[in-house]
Amino acid sequence: LEQSVRVSPKGQASYEIEIGAGNLKRLGEIARGSLSSHAKRAVIISNKRVFNLYGERALKSLSEVGFNVSYWLMGEGERYKSIRSLEKALNFLSTNRLERTDVVVALGGGVVGDLTGFAAATYLRGISFIQVPTTLLADIDSSVGGKTGVNLSTGKNLVGAFHQPRAVLIDVTTLDTLPSREMTAGLCEAVKQGAVGDKDLFDQTCEYLLSRKDGEESKEQLINLIAAQCAFKASIVADDEREEINRVDHRSRRILNFGHTVGHALEAITEYKRFRHGEAVGHGMVVAGELSSRLGLLSSLELNDLRKAIKLTGKLPLASNLNHEEILVALAHDKKSVGGSVKWILLEKLGRARIVDGREISSEVLRDALHAALNENS
Ligand SMILES: NC(=O)c1ccc[n+]([C@@H]2O[C@H](COP(=O)([O-])OP(=O)(O)OC[C@H]3O[C@@H](n4cnc5c(N)ncnc54)[C@H](O)[C@@H]3O)[C@@H](O)[C@H]2O)c1
């Protein structure tokens, strides 16, 4: 069984996200189908771990359709999503004489995808790239929407470009080797996308989580879930590609930041060591849910459903022993850095977000919500 989702960014060529089980062997065919007939060379960018697992298959598939293929492996981890790695990647492309009509393939998680996409966006002022995401987060989130970039020492994702891939190929069997915490982090983002934008998507995600808990999930169910998640993200992005700063409506790209306000604070006060980003977002969503309920938006029944869904994603690292005052300080810091007040993404109900200005939320309510969310959720 295979699914495909068509993405049509405004004013740019549309492309397909192909989702299947064992379809990595179709990479060559998909590349040929989405690139100009002049494409001769392909460079795969990956890291050692992922390349050892899946590189051979990707190389073979591209060679079989006549590409002259080479590969460059970056370091593993967020800190390698850097200008330094970017420079090495660009030098590799240049040394291998990639031309305007050639292609770069990102094989890996969001770190590899973001760096590769940015290298493709900037090399010769932009060449084609294909995403082959291998983490759940990359499948449903980072490979959809065209954001590419690298970090600076002063902050994450501060340098980048919008650059759409020519195609995205998702082989769900690559998730079989994904460490369980990475899976949990991706599943938290899946819960997020359903919660802010689409009750059916939320329910479908919960059904998958329940089957998984019972050890009865199927590849077909996973393929369908990923397809629905990609379609959702694509629909949000199509309408607000560049995340308009002034948009505060319930379909603005900004709603995808649900759980991120507190999530970032949790990551910051634990020096990015305790939580995977998605795990911190898992806790952050419970806080935002508690806030929504305290402000009379979300019903307690639905808050409970949200909590249950997050619990089903896996065990999140403890947040109960964190100092709430430190969290509040980190939240206030966030506020300064955006030069205004925090825009909280809250829920009116499951499937519908509401953006609320931080000035409308008293510190007392915020403290209560933190307490209720982080202590019980531990
Ligand atoms: N561009 C966007 O719109 C967007 C959106 C969300 C997140 N991001 C970015 O995505 C990055 C996080 O991505 P991520 O969560 O995929 O993390 P990641 O790329 O660091 O991958 C997580 C870990 O899993 C390993 N791995 C990847 N695939 C594997 C597999 N199939 N089997 C075994 N191990 C595997 C990686 O080597 C790594 O150690 C961040 O840099 C974030 O800023 C970008």
Side-chain angles (χ1 to χ4, degrees):
L1 172 116
E2 292 208 9
Q3 290 264 16
S4 78
V5 174
R6 190 162 194 81
V7 186
S8 307
K10 273 190 198 122
Q12 296 169 72
S14 58
Y15 60 90
E16 299 283 344
I17 304 177
E18 306 277 359
I19 309 142
N23 55 344
L24 182 54
K25 57 177 184 292
R26 288 189 53 218
L27 176 59
E29 173 202 329
I30 286 167
R32 277 286 169 236
S34 55
L35 298 168
S36 96
S37 55
H38 300 293
K40 287 191 201 73
R41 288 173 198 270
V43 167
I44 298 173
I45 297 183
S46 187
N47 69 28
K48 218 188 234 170
R49 181 189 308 275
V50 177
F51 195 82
N52 282 343
L53 290 163
Y54 305 109
E56 203 55 52
R57 263 177 267 173
L59 276 174
K60 182 163 175 273
S61 180
L62 289 165
S63 311
E64 274 171 3
V65 296
F67 281 102
N68 177 337
V69 199
S70 46
Y71 61 91
W72 180 74
L73 305 183
M74 62 184 288
E76 182 177 22
E78 189 68 42
R79 71 198 159 103
Y80 290 98
K81 205 176 100 176
S82 63
I83 297 269
R84 186 181 284 231
S85 301
L86 175 74
E87 185 182 9
K88 289 184 187 163
L90 292 170
N91 281 329
F92 186 88
L93 301 183
S94 177
T95 308
N96 281 273
R97 299 208 175 84
L98 241 69
E99 295 179 4
R100 284 291 310 270
T101 45
D102 293 330
V103 65
V104 188
V105 175
L107 175 69
V111 165
V112 166
D114 279 10
L115 180 124
T116 305
F118 191 41
T122 47
Y123 180 69
L124 302 179
R125 298 195 183 81
I127 69 170
S128 298
F129 91 112
I130 290 178
Q131 292 261 29
V132 184
T134 62
T135 65
L136 182 61
L137 178 125
D139 290 346
I140 65 168
D141 188 355
S142 65
S143 68
V144 190
K147 281 189 182 175
T148 70
V150 297
N151 304 323
L152 294 180
S153 55
T154 45
K156 280 186 63 178
N157 300 323
L158 292 180
V159 180
F162 286 93
H163 190 54
Q164 303 289 348
R166 285 300 176 91
V168 180
L169 188 166
I170 299 175
D171 182 342
V172 299
T173 65
T174 60
L175 300 180
D176 291 345
T177 54
L178 195 64
S180 79
R181 287 188 63 184
E182 301 298 340
M183 196 66 191
T184 297
L187 287 168
C188 282
E189 300 283 358
V191 168
K192 176 198 79 180
Q193 298 200 143
V196 292
D198 184 338
K199 179 65 163 57
D200 290 341
L201 182 60
F202 181 82
D203 290 342
Q204 188 181 356
T205 307
C206 290
E207 273 163 36
Y208 175 77
L209 289 169
L210 284 168
S211 313
R212 181 171 169 267
K213 177 172 152 246
D214 298 334
E216 286 170 358
E217 81 277 26
S218 67
K219 289 278 184 278
E220 183 178 357
Q221 210 180 357
L222 183 57
I223 289 168
N224 289 336
L225 177 63
I226 290 174
Q229 288 280 349
C230 288
F232 169 74
K233 174 139 190 210
S235 75
I236 292 291
V237 165
D239 193 40
D240 185 12
E241 200 199 346
R242 303 212 163 213
E243 200 163 344
E244 288 300 327
I245 212 83
N246 294 323
R247 278 188 62 168
V248 290
D249 59 278
H250 76 282
R251 301 306 283 178
S252 56
R253 192 167 183 160
R254 191 181 257 163
I255 65 170
L256 300 172
N257 288 332
F258 179 55
H260 283 58
T261 310
V262 168
H264 284 148
L266 296 184
E267 288 182 277
I269 67 168
T270 54
E271 287 159 349
Y272 296 87
K273 291 191 182 116
R274 187 183 300 192
F275 302 101
R276 292 290 300 141
H277 175 66
E279 294 172 332
V281 167
H283 284 301
M285 287 191 285
V286 182
V287 177
E290 288 285 351
L291 261 182
S292 308
S293 149
R294 279 169 168 67
L295 295 173
L297 298 169
L298 188 67
S299 73
S300 50
L301 212 69
E302 289 205 322
L303 171 59
N304 209 26
D305 288 345
L306 177 67
R307 278 177 166 281
K308 272 196 258 170
I310 293 164
K311 213 165 230 161
L312 282 169
T313 63
K315 193 145 186 55
L316 302 180
L318 273 188
S320 57
N321 58 354
L322 297 174
N323 182 328
H324 292 185
E325 296 311 308
E326 268 184 61
I327 299 175
L328 291 167
V329 170
L331 287 171
H333 179 78
D334 207 316
K335 177 169 162 180
K336 270 184 217 139
S337 69
V338 293
S341 56
V342 179
K343 293 272 186 276
W344 283 88
I345 316 301
L346 302 181
L347 297 180
E348 280 179 18
K349 55 184 180 182
L350 287 172
R352 189 177 169 106
R354 158 102 64 106
I355 301 181
V356 174
D357 192 297
R359 285 170 294 202
E360 290 174 32
I361 298 172
S362 76
S363 58
E364 205 173 18
V365 171
L366 185 52
R367 277 195 173 83
D368 278 358
L370 277 176
H371 189 77
L374 301 184
N375 291 356
E376 242 182 81
N377 193 38
S378 54

